[in-house]
Amino acid sequence: MRRGRPIFHPRLGWLAGGAKPVLYLVGMVLLATSAMMLIPMFVDLANDSGDWRAFALAVTGGGALGLVLVSAFRGSLAQGLNLRQAFLLTPLSWFSVAALSAVPLYLTPFGATSGDVTNAFFEAISGITTTGSTVISGLEDAPPGLLTWRALLQWMGGIGIIAIAIAVLPALGIGGMQLFRTESSDRSEKVLPKVRQIAAAIGSVYLGITILAAATYWLQGMTLFEAVLHALTTISTGGYSTSDSSFGNWEANGIQWTGTLFMLAGGIPFVLYVRLLAGDRRALFDSQVRSFVLFLAFTIAVTGTALFLSGLYDAEAAYRFAAFNIVSVVTTTGYATTDYTLWSNVAVAMFFGLTFVGGCTGSTAGGIKIFRFEVMYVMLKSHFRQLLYPNSVVAKTYNGRPLTDDVINSVVVFFAIFFAAYSALTIMLMAMGLDFLTSASGAVTALANVGPGMGDTIGPAGNFSTLPDLAKWLLSFGMLLGRLELFTVLILFYPRFWRS
C-alpha cells in the first residue's frame, strides 16, 4: 500500500475519525460489563464452584479489550457525538455486550450454552435485550454464578434501555419518540443530551424498587438468592428465572401477586417515579399510564371471569393466574405460572395478540408501546371526524400536546416496518421447517422482547434449544432489532449511511 494512502475509501472517510469516539464508548461499555462479571465470579467462589474460572477468563479478556479501546481513543469524545455516530454506537455497544456476555456462558460446563457459540450468544442477547427466551433447561441444578449472570444481564439491559429511551431515541426522532424529547435533547448537533440531573435519580429509583422487590419476595417465602435474582429480572421485565417452571415453582399466592405488582411497576416510565418523588402527585396520571392500566384491568377482568366460569379455577386463582400471565406478556417479562395455551383456543389467540402490545415508553418493557397505539387512535378518530365533517379543522393532540406531522409519520412508518420485519422473520423461520405457530409466535416474541412463544416447542412450558442454529441467529437479530426500536439497526444496512 502506498505511503499516505487513506485506510478508508474516500466516500467512507467519516469513519476514519468518526469511529473513534464510538470505539472509545464501546471500550467503556466493555469495561463496565467486565466489572459486572466479577459479581457472578465471586458468587461461584463463595459456593465452591469451579465455574468461577469461566468468568475470570471473560473478565480478563473483556477488560483488556476495553482498556485497549479506551487508551487508544482517549480524548476523542471531547466534541460529543453527532447523529451518525449515535446510530452506529447504539447497536454496536449492545452487540459488544452480548458477545462478551456469551463468553462465560460458553465456557461454563453446564447446559446447552456450554461449548456452543450459537446457544451462548442466543442466551446472552436474550438476556441483555430483556427478552427472556432461553435454551437452558435444568435451571434448578445450574451453577449459582451462571444464574446470577443471567439475572444481572437482564437488570443491566433494563436500565440501559431506559437510558436510551430518554437520552438517544427522542433526539433521533425514531418511531414517534420525539414526543418525549427533553429540553436538552438537541437534534441538530449532539444527540446525547445532558441528562445527568435525572440519570442519578432514575438509577436510584431503579435500584430502590429492585431492593423492595427482593425483600418482598424473600418475606413471601423465596430464599434470599432466589428473591434477589427474581427481583433483578422482574423490574427489568426480563423474565429469566431460577426454575424451569418459572413462577409455577412457587405455589404461594403472595409471591405471584407480588410478581404481578412489580412487573407492572417495570412497565411504567421510570421518569414518572422521579417526578412523583419530587412532589408531583399527578405524575402517574400520565396518558400512557392511564391507557396501560385500563387496558390491563379490562383484559384481566374478562379473562379471570372466563376462567372462573369455565370451572378451571376458584375465583381467587382465576384472577391471580389471569393477572400474572397477562401482565407478564403485556410488559414483555415472560414469566409464567402455568401453560396458559392449554386454557382454550381463544386464550392462545388472545395471548398471541397481547404479545404485540408492550408497556410504556421510558419503562423497561418492550413491544410496540402503548403510546403508539394512542397516537394511532387519535389519527383514526381524527380521520373519521374529517369524513363526517369535511370542512372542519380537527386538532390532533396527545397528552395535552399537539401531534405534529413528523411524529405521526414516524409512528405510521414504525408500524409498517415492524409488521414488515415480523412478516419477513416469520416466513424465514417457516422456510427452515418450523410450523406456523412456532414461526409466527417466535418472530413476534423476539421483536417484542417477550420471551416465550406459543406451541409445544417454544411455549411457556418449552424453550428454544431444539430450534435450528440459523433460526436462533435470526431470532437473536430480531431481539436486537426490536429492543433498539428497529431503525437504529436497520439504518446500518442503508448504503448512504456509510458515505460521507
Side-chain angles (χ1 to χ4, degrees):
M1 183 171 64
R2 293 196 309 269
R3 186 178 179 181
R5 185 175 179 179
I7 297 175
F8 295 96
H9 189 279
R11 299 184 72 180
L12 307 180
W14 73 272
L15 278 174
K20 291 180 180 180
V22 172
L23 293 175
Y24 172 80
L25 288 174
V26 169
M28 294 294 292
V29 168
L30 291 176
L31 286 174
T33 305
S34 300
M36 290 296 288
M37 282 189 200
L38 293 172
I39 297 175
M41 186 184 79
F42 286 125
V43 168
D44 272 340
L45 280 170
N47 286 273
D48 295 322
S49 172
D51 296 312
W52 68 269
R53 297 181 182 86
F55 290 100
L57 287 171
V59 168
T60 303
L65 179 58
L67 282 173
V68 168
L69 292 174
V70 169
S71 300
F73 303 111
R74 188 181 301 275
S76 61
L77 197 59
Q79 301 301 315
L81 295 180
N82 58 36
L83 285 171
R84 191 172 295 191
Q85 290 166 330
F87 273 120
L88 181 61
L89 171 65
T90 305
L92 183 59
S93 58
W94 283 68
F95 177 83
S96 300
V97 171
L100 177 57
S101 302
V103 173
L105 299 175
Y106 177 86
L107 296 176
T108 299
F110 176 87
T113 62
S114 178
D116 191 309
V117 173
T118 299
N119 283 342
F121 185 81
F122 180 92
E123 195 79 8
I125 196 72
S126 179
I128 196 63
T129 59
T130 72
T131 303
S133 302
T134 186
V135 294
I136 300 177
S137 57
L139 291 170
E140 292 84 352
D141 301 317
L146 183 146
L147 294 174
T148 302
W149 183 232
R150 293 167 81 245
L152 281 172
L153 265 179
Q154 296 201 322
W155 195 75
M156 291 189 298
I159 191 66
I161 199 60
I162 293 173
I164 288 177
I166 292 173
V168 179
L169 297 180
L172 297 179
I174 291 173
M177 292 291 288
Q178 56 268 50
L179 267 174
F180 306 97
R181 186 178 296 143
T182 62
E183 292 181 0
S184 57
S185 297
D186 181 7
R187 190 178 181 188
S188 61
E189 293 289 338
K190 307 297 184 290
V191 299
L192 292 181
K194 296 178 180 178
V195 292
R196 294 179 183 177
Q197 297 84 354
I198 61 172
I202 289 177
S204 299
V205 168
Y206 191 69
L207 179 61
I209 298 178
T210 304
I211 294 172
L212 180 61
T216 309
Y217 281 140
W218 186 37
L219 292 173
Q220 293 285 355
M222 286 187 178
T223 67
L224 182 59
F225 181 72
E226 293 169 342
V228 170
L229 297 197
H230 282 90
L232 294 173
T233 60
T234 301
I235 302 308
S236 62
T237 60
Y240 274 159
S241 178
T242 59
S243 170
D244 290 346
S245 302
S246 189
F247 266 66
N249 190 53
W250 292 273
E251 297 181 356
N253 297 358
I255 288 179
Q256 296 181 11
W257 282 116
T258 296
T260 303
L261 175 64
F262 283 106
M263 286 188 289
L264 181 63
I268 291 174
F270 276 75
V271 71
L272 298 185
Y273 295 130
V274 174
R275 286 171 48 190
L276 182 67
L277 293 174
D280 184 357
R281 296 181 179 180
R282 296 188 58 81
L284 295 182
F285 287 89
D286 179 83
S287 176
Q288 273 196 99
V289 178
R290 291 199 306 269
S291 299
F292 180 55
V293 173
L294 288 174
F295 173 76
L296 286 173
F298 174 78
T299 310
I300 290 167
V302 171
T303 306
T305 302
L307 288 175
F308 173 65
L309 294 177
S310 71
L312 288 173
Y313 308 105
D314 60 37
E316 189 277 335
Y319 288 102
R320 171 164 46 86
F321 282 141
F324 185 96
N325 292 288
I326 287 171
V327 170
S328 178
V329 171
V330 173
T331 61
T332 70
T333 306
Y335 288 142
T337 52
T338 185
D339 187 353
Y340 43 76
T341 62
L342 300 179
W343 288 348
S344 67
N345 289 333
V346 173
V348 173
M350 182 192 73
F351 276 99
F352 181 74
L354 292 176
T355 306
F356 290 87
V357 178
C360 299
T361 294
S363 72
T364 59
I368 291 176
K369 302 291 193 307
I370 291 293
F371 94 90
R372 292 192 178 100
F373 288 100
E374 288 185 297
V375 170
M376 292 297 286
Y377 170 73
V378 170
M379 291 170 57
L380 285 173
K381 185 171 69 171
S382 173
H383 183 68
F384 286 141
R385 290 190 64 181
Q386 200 75 53
L387 290 176
L388 288 172
Y389 310 103
N391 297 322
S392 65
V393 178
V394 181
K396 303 181 186 70
T397 60
Y398 171 79
N399 207 22
R401 299 169 61 184
L403 276 176
T404 58
D405 288 341
D406 67 317
V407 171
I408 293 172
N409 292 338
S410 294
V411 170
V412 171
V413 171
F414 182 90
F415 270 96
I417 297 298
F418 184 94
F419 284 102
Y422 165 66
S423 300
L425 193 53
T426 299
I427 292 170
M428 286 188 284
L429 290 172
M430 291 184 67
M432 296 174 197
L434 301 178
D435 63 90
F436 174 75
L437 184 59
T438 299
S439 300
S441 64
V444 69
T445 200
L447 286 172
N449 306 118
V450 175
M454 298 287 174
D456 296 332
T457 305
I458 61 172
N463 68 26
F464 290 71
S465 61
T466 59
L467 297 186
D469 282 356
L470 183 55
K472 292 172 189 171
W473 284 109
L474 282 172
L475 291 173
S476 297
F477 177 74
M479 293 176 205
L480 187 64
L481 188 64
R483 181 78 282 187
L484 299 183
E485 303 282 341
L486 304 176
F487 294 95
T488 51
V489 177
L490 293 178
I491 197 170
L492 301 184
F493 295 91
Y494 184 50
R496 189 177 294 274
F497 174 83
W498 301 100
R499 299 170 187 167
S500 58

